[in-house]
């Protein structure tokens, strides 16, 4: 069962004023009654859970399936911390602290022992989500400081499990919750809600609130693209835009082409592409396995895939109707749906049949080249799901940057890699089921650039070098 599941994953890449609570012996507070407002104002708060009892003011959240509890197995300092409840797939465990604190800085330590993706921890202040975080990225205690711009009535911590997968402890811990009425120099004043949109940018638009982490995923002007997609793509989220449909065939050349990708540890992997004898059929090989592609009138589909296992064996996947890799046309904010039957053959010969659903989305578009009159780089997101033999859905997602006339510039995610070289012998523009179309024979092999005839106008090494330079600048901007 575990082997089948792992292999299947590979097939998918307070408006009301609340009463002031009492506090436990483990908490320290300071009061300020100098302003006669009729309310008690706390200047600071600290809770390390070392009293051995659940601090007063803490209670289970409204949507929680299991309560958080004191725990002695993990702690940042001392002997106790607060642990999320034991929950099942698609369940939530949340704990809320009802209090009354002024604007300032909230900080706490947290530990994530979950799967490497998909389970999430959320922090909500007065009902608004702050600093959305995927869990499982690190198995060490982390410290976070959050800028709180307005008086706080409720602080809520939530751990939410995805529909599948049990990993590690499937839990999160918090410790050393502290609040001060001063702005910490390490708090991210540039992006207080942690949604990836800078404070000064959010202040410019009616669609955005610099203290609401959810607004980046909303579509204020109802033009089909999220506020975050529009901001990152150079559009205003306040005004409905008409987005031009992109021809992804121009962003994903196929034929006798080699691409070299460098990972963060310096390892370079080569993808070797070739045209097959069948019209519109192609094969890409790498040390990790292979895939057979078919270019159709409406898009590029994966027909077959082999994934090499660590023991030297290979798992084979046959997508009977084809698994959509890229639609031919798509516009910003658009989702393209597809489904196919899948037969998976394990190395031992066991077979498993299921169905795969996929959604391909154009998330962002950029002009990395100053000479471009339109977008030359696209961020594509792919979400997929398949039904396992246990009856649960297995989910997967992947993200990549596509460069005009180049193909995949960068793979994004847990194991990111960037394109460093591309060698083109022949571009093949054929489409399955159509009469043979002309191909471009370029017989090019360089270490610093490409030549291609597949994307209109004949690209040169200048385009390749420019896109790689733009990619480096984009990477720096994203990590800033």
């Amino acid at each position: 069962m575990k082997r089948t599941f792992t292999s299947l994953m590979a097939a998918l890449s307070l408006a009301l004023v609340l009463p002031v609570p009492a506090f436990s012996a483990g908490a320290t507070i300071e009061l300020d009654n100098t302003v006669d407002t009729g309310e008690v104002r706390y200047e600071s708060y600290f809770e390390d859970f070392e009293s051995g009892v659940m601090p007063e003011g803490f209670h289970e959240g409204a949507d929680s399936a299991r309560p958080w509890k004191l725990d002695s197995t993990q702690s940042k300092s001392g002997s106790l911390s607060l642990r999320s409840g034991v929950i099942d797939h698609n369940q939530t465990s949340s704990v809320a602290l009802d209090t009354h604190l002024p604007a300032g800085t909230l900080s706490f330590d947290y530990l994530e022992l979950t799967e490497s993706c998909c389970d999430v921890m959320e922090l909500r202040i007065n009902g608004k989500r702050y600093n959305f975080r995927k869990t499982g990225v690190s198995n060490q205690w982390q410290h976070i400081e959050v800028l709180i711009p307005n008086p706080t009535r409720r602080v809520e911590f939530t751990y939410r499990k995805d529909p599948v997968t049990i990993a590690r402890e499937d839990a999160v811990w918090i410790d050393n919750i502290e609040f001060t009425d001063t702005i910490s120099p390490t708090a991210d004043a540039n992006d207080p809600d942690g949604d990836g949109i800078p404070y000064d940018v959010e202040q410019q638009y009616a669609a955005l609130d610099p203290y609401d982490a959810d607004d980046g995923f909303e579509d204020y002007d109802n033009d089909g693209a999220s506020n975050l997609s529009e901001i990152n793509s150079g559009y205003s989220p306040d005004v409905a835009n008409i987005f031009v449909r992109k021809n992804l065939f121009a962003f994903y050349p196929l034929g006798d082409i080699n691409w070299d990708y460098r990972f963060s540890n310096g390892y370079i992997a080569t993808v070797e592409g070739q045209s097959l004898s069948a019209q519109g059929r192609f094969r890409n090989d790498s040390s990790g396995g292979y895939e057979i592609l078919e270019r159709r009138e409406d898009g590029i589909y994966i027909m077959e895939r082999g994934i090499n296992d660590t023991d030297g064996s290979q798992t084979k996947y046959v997508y009977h109707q084809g698994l959509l890799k890229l639609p031919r046309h798509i516009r910003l904010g658009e989702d393209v749906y597809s489904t196919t039957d899948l037969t998976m053959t394990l190395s031992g010969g066991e077979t498993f049949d299921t169905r795969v659903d996929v959604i391909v989305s154009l998330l962002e578009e950029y002009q990395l080249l100053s000479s471009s009159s339109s977008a030359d780089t696209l961020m594509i997101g792919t979400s997929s799901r398949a039904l396992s033999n246990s009856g649960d859905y297995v989910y997967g997602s992947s993200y990549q940057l596509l460069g005009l006339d180049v193909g995949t510039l960068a793979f994004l995610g847990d194991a990111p890699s960037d394109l460093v070289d591309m060698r083109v012998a022949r571009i093949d523009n054929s489409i399955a089921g159509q009469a043979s179309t002309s191909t471009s024979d370029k017989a090019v092999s360089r270490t610093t650039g490409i030549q291609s005839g597949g994307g209109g106008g004949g690209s040169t090494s200048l385009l390749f070098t420019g896109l790689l330079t733009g990619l480096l600048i984009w990477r720096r901007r994203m990590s800033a």
Side-chain angles (χ1 to χ4, degrees):
M1 177 70 71
K2 181 178 180 181
R3 173 68 178 278
T4 301
F5 174 80
T6 303
S7 300
L8 192 55
M9 283 291 289
L12 308 176
S13 307
L14 294 151
L16 298 176
V17 176
L18 299 172
V20 177
F23 291 89
S24 66
T28 60
I29 59 174
E30 294 181 5
L31 305 181
D32 178 12
N33 295 318
T34 57
V35 180
D36 186 11
T37 62
E39 297 177 329
V40 178
R41 177 176 182 267
Y42 294 99
E43 284 187 325
S44 64
Y45 170 81
F46 178 76
E47 177 60 66
D48 60 5
F49 307 104
E50 293 301 309
S51 68
V53 297
M54 180 66 77
E56 295 187 43
F58 282 83
H59 61 89
E60 189 174 5
D63 62 346
S64 178
R66 295 289 188 275
W68 289 51
K69 294 183 179 181
L70 295 177
D71 183 73
S72 61
T73 64
Q74 302 284 350
S75 66
K76 178 61 171 66
S77 58
S79 59
L80 294 172
S81 63
L82 197 59
R83 182 193 190 278
S84 60
V86 179
I87 55 177
D88 206 344
H89 303 312
N90 280 327
Q91 289 187 332
T92 295
S93 175
S94 63
V95 63
L97 168 62
D98 290 338
T99 183
H100 186 190
L101 297 164
T105 301
L106 172 72
S107 66
F108 59 93
D109 299 310
Y110 65 96
L111 173 67
E112 309 160 325
L113 296 179
T114 70
E115 62 175 305
S116 60
C117 78
C118 311
D119 296 346
V120 297
M121 183 175 76
E122 295 178 353
L123 169 66
R124 290 184 177 269
I125 307 294
N126 295 337
K128 288 186 176 181
R129 182 172 61 81
Y130 276 62
N131 290 64
F132 176 93
R133 294 185 175 274
K134 283 191 172 182
T135 63
V137 175
S138 172
N139 294 327
Q140 305 295 322
W141 280 94
Q142 305 289 318
H143 182 78
I144 185 173
E145 293 182 340
V146 180
L147 178 63
I148 308 300
N150 300 305
T152 300
R153 305 292 176 80
R154 171 170 289 186
V155 178
E156 186 169 2
F157 300 89
T158 298
Y159 170 58
R160 191 187 316 277
K161 273 190 59 58
D162 72 343
V164 294
T165 307
I166 296 175
R168 302 177 179 89
E169 300 294 325
D170 263 343
V172 296
W173 287 256
I174 57 175
D175 203 357
N176 301 323
I177 301 174
E178 185 171 11
F179 183 90
T180 62
D181 66 350
T182 58
I183 303 302
S184 167
T186 60
D188 190 1
N190 187 51
D191 184 16
D193 58 4
D195 63 358
I197 307 176
Y199 175 90
D200 57 349
V201 174
E202 297 208 46
Q203 289 282 54
Q204 299 175 29
Y205 299 100
L208 302 173
D209 179 347
Y211 304 111
D212 182 357
D214 291 314
D215 59 8
F217 301 99
E218 298 170 352
D219 181 13
Y220 179 84
D221 53 15
N222 294 313
D223 59 6
S226 71
N227 297 333
L228 180 60
S229 291
E230 294 200 62
I231 287 293
N232 287 343
S233 302
Y235 297 96
S236 168
D238 288 348
V239 180
N241 297 279
I242 299 175
F243 304 113
V244 177
R245 301 189 79 194
K246 307 298 181 182
N247 182 356
L248 295 191
F249 285 2
F251 287 81
Y252 204 81
L254 292 169
D256 299 334
I257 311 169
N258 289 355
W259 298 267
D260 294 338
Y261 294 92
R262 179 184 288 118
F263 291 81
S264 58
N265 62 0
Y267 175 77
I268 293 181
T270 298
V271 177
E272 300 178 354
Q274 61 176 307
S275 298
L276 299 180
S277 58
Q279 186 81 4
R281 284 267 180 149
F282 309 88
R283 178 179 174 121
N284 291 333
D285 288 271
S286 71
S287 59
Y290 73 91
E291 64 179 6
I292 295 177
L293 304 176
E294 183 174 272
R295 185 196 282 126
R296 303 174 185 170
E297 183 64 36
D298 64 340
I300 299 171
Y301 292 79
I302 304 173
M303 305 306 299
E304 185 179 310
R305 174 182 285 163
I307 303 296
N308 297 332
D309 299 327
T310 55
D311 60 1
S313 60
Q314 188 178 80
T315 302
K316 180 180 178 180
Y317 308 87
V318 175
Y319 304 94
H320 296 283
Q321 295 81 29
L323 178 68
L324 180 65
K325 186 180 184 76
L326 293 171
R328 182 168 189 169
H329 295 104
I330 195 171
R331 62 170 57 91
L332 187 67
E334 184 178 1
D335 298 327
V336 180
Y337 299 79
S338 182
T339 186
T340 181
D341 295 314
L342 163 67
T343 296
M344 179 173 63
T345 304
L346 303 180
S347 57
E350 313 98 298
T351 62
F352 173 67
D353 293 318
T354 187
R355 192 162 186 83
V356 179
D357 304 315
V358 65
I359 304 173
V360 180
S361 309
L362 175 52
L363 302 177
E364 296 175 9
E365 58 184 50
Y366 316 102
Q367 290 178 234
L368 296 189
L369 292 175
S370 58
S371 59
S372 294
S373 59
S374 60
D376 53 53
T377 305
L378 309 176
M379 182 188 288
I380 299 293
T382 302
S383 301
S384 52
R385 71 174 188 175
L387 195 63
S388 72
N389 50 6
S390 65
D392 295 322
Y393 276 106
V394 176
Y395 292 81
S397 61
S398 62
Y399 304 90
Q400 58 181 316
L401 291 182
L402 300 183
L404 182 64
D405 284 339
V406 171
T408 301
L409 273 175
F411 294 96
L412 313 175
D414 293 338
S417 60
D418 293 345
L419 181 67
V420 294
D421 192 25
M422 178 180 181
R423 297 173 297 282
V424 180
R426 187 170 69 101
I427 298 292
D428 185 344
N429 295 317
S430 66
I431 296 176
Q434 291 190 1
S436 178
T437 58
S438 62
T439 59
S440 302
D441 295 302
K442 292 297 181 182
V444 174
S445 180
R446 303 179 181 174
T447 59
T448 58
I450 61 167
Q451 185 172 351
S452 163
S459 302
T460 69
S461 61
L462 290 177
L463 181 145
F464 182 73
T465 303
L467 284 176
L468 293 194
T469 301
L471 174 62
L472 178 61
I473 296 172
W474 181 88
R475 282 284 195 191
R476 289 174 176 172
R477 176 169 65 87
M478 291 297 102
S479 61

